């Protein structure tokens, strides 16, 4: 009896795709463009879409939350770096969002998968009528086999531009649509017990208790100069989803398939309601 219970507990310690139907995958600006001033990296988008297509083949429902609009707008506007003022960032996003969706559409088209653009703000997720609309449309799209690609509506919302790179938005969407797993794709291979650039920093593969993580020692936004997130917003995202019983995986794009197959790569935050 005790042994069966122990085995059941251990099984919950890693991802088991069999128990997962609906997955939200969030990808940040630096993964999609590499560095400031660079165009979108088609290979990064194709790599992500390859994994999503495989998940869809396995009958999973997948929602992508993608940043990269501001980053994609930098080069076409003749800028060499991410602009520092908010209005110019919003303007760059309005140039880049179309380019970003064009690339997703093209990439998903390789698998004859239809994709949809959804632009929302964190404020939308506080209004009953907007919540009902978001849930209704996402539900309808998923039923029709479409892959929704969500980004913050940067013209009117600025939370994720200022300090999130869509980590918070992805967590709230995951909770709203009662997904079974949130995946945050990062440039490093998971969570470390200190800033990963410090000597001796060790990777943590499994987090069962977020209160033991000291977010202050983990480092802020990445060094690529195109995104605005960092480990702190990822831990905040983990708190939002794990507290309602949803697991969260942190992984780099090249490890995504292995991590979803339950291999010991990335960091898995156990649901902890
Ligand atoms: N919505 C923003 C974008 O697509 C994400 C936030 C950021 O990059 O800072 O660029």
């Amino acid at each position: 009896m005790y042994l069966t219970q122990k085995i059941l507990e251990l099984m919950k310690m890693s991802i088991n795709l069999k128990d997962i139907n609906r997955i939200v995958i969030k990808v940040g600006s630096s993964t999609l463009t590499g560095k400031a001033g660079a165009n979108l990296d088609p290979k990064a988008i194709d790599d992500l879409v390859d994994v999503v297509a495989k998940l869809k083949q396995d009958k999973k429902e997948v929602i992508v939350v993608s940043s990269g609009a501001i980053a994609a707008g930098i080069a076409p506007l003749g800028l060499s770096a991410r602009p520092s003022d908010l209005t110019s960032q919003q303007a760059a996003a309005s140039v880049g969002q179309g380019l970003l969706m064009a690339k997703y559409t093209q990439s998903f088209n390789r698998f004859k998968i239809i994709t949809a653009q959804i632009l929302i703000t964190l404020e939308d997720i506080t209004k009953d009528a907007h919540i009902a609309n978001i849930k209704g449309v996402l539900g309808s799209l998923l039923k029709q086999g479409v892959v929704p690609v969500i980004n913050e509506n940067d013209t009117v919302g600025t939370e994720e531009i200022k300090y999130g790179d869509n980590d918070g938005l992805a967590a709230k969407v995951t909770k709203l649509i009662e997904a079974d797993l949130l995946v945050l794709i990062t440039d490093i291979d998971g969570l470390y017990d200190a800033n990963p650039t410090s000597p001796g920093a060790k990777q943590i593969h499994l987090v069962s208790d977020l209160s033991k993580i000291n977010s202050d020692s983990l480092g802020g936004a990445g060094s690529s100069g195109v995104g605005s997130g960092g480990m702190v917003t990822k831990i905040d995202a983990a708190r939002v989803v794990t507290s309602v019983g949803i697991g969260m995986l942190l992984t780099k794009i090249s490890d995504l398939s292995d991590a979803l197959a339950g291999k010991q790569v990335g960091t898995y935050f156990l649901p902890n309601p």
Side-chain angles (χ1 to χ4, degrees):
M1 174 66 189
Y2 173 75
L3 199 64
T4 323
Q5 205 178 338
K6 244 350 217 187
I7 291 171
L8 282 174
E9 270 171 27
L10 280 172
M11 279 167 68
K12 282 194 220 136
M13 298 274 182
S14 66
I15 293 169
N16 186 352
L17 268 188
K18 270 201 228 95
D19 303 333
I20 289 168
N21 174 44
R22 188 172 278 186
I23 306 174
V24 175
I25 303 180
K26 179 257 156 180
V27 60
S29 309
S30 55
T31 304
L32 297 181
T33 57
K35 57 182 178 9
N39 286 310
L40 286 170
D41 174 6
K43 183 168 180 318
I45 295 186
D46 286 348
D47 287 350
L48 171 65
V49 169
D50 289 349
V51 179
V52 175
K54 172 79 184 50
L55 288 168
K56 287 206 36 80
Q57 220 175 44
D58 295 341
K59 305 272 174 280
K60 309 294 176 197
E61 293 178 335
V62 188
I63 290 160
V64 174
V65 175
S66 178
S67 310
I70 298 174
I74 294 174
L77 286 173
L79 306 169
S80 57
R82 182 181 168 109
S84 51
D85 72 285
L86 199 53
T87 307
S88 305
Q89 289 173 353
Q90 290 169 297
S94 67
V95 171
Q97 179 63 28
L99 298 169
L100 185 64
M101 278 317 296
K103 187 57 208 138
Y104 274 113
T105 305
Q106 199 182 37
S107 189
F108 275 112
N109 200 24
R110 294 176 300 141
F111 302 95
K112 304 275 172 280
I113 294 172
I114 306 292
T115 184
Q117 170 184 267
I118 309 266
L119 298 177
I120 52 177
T121 63
L122 284 176
E123 207 187 325
D124 288 322
I125 303 180
T126 62
K127 293 181 178 153
D128 289 346
H130 290 207
I131 290 174
N133 289 334
I134 294 165
K135 276 180 145 176
V137 173
L138 285 175
S140 166
L141 289 169
L142 291 172
K143 214 185 286 167
Q144 296 176 75
V146 175
V147 176
V149 179
I150 301 179
N151 196 357
E152 183 175 52
N153 184 352
D154 291 322
T155 305
V156 289
T158 53
E159 287 302 302
E160 297 295 328
I161 295 181
K162 286 189 202 147
Y163 40 69
D165 207 359
N166 284 346
D167 293 333
L169 187 70
K172 289 195 171 143
V173 166
T174 302
K175 189 172 155 183
L176 185 82
I177 58 162
E178 293 162 18
D180 306 301
L181 178 71
L182 169 63
V183 180
L184 297 186
I185 295 177
T186 56
D187 293 337
I188 50 165
D189 43 10
L191 178 71
Y192 281 72
D193 60 358
N195 193 319
T197 53
S198 336
K202 282 195 221 63
Q203 193 179 347
I204 303 168
H205 286 294
L206 190 73
V207 177
S208 55
D209 184 356
L210 275 168
S211 65
K212 298 211 174 95
I213 305 284
N214 174 10
S215 319
D216 298 343
S217 64
L218 300 176
S223 54
S224 63
V226 287
S228 56
M231 227 17 113
V232 174
T233 54
K234 290 177 177 57
I235 301 293
D236 289 344
R239 202 163 283 125
V240 170
V241 296
T242 59
S243 66
V244 292
I246 304 170
M248 188 183 104
L249 170 70
L250 199 62
T251 176
K252 60 181 179 184
I253 204 159
S254 52
D255 286 342
L256 180 58
S257 289
D258 282 348
L260 289 172
K263 297 206 179 127
Q264 235 213 11
V265 285
T267 301
Y268 182 50
F269 296 78
L270 283 174
N272 192 7

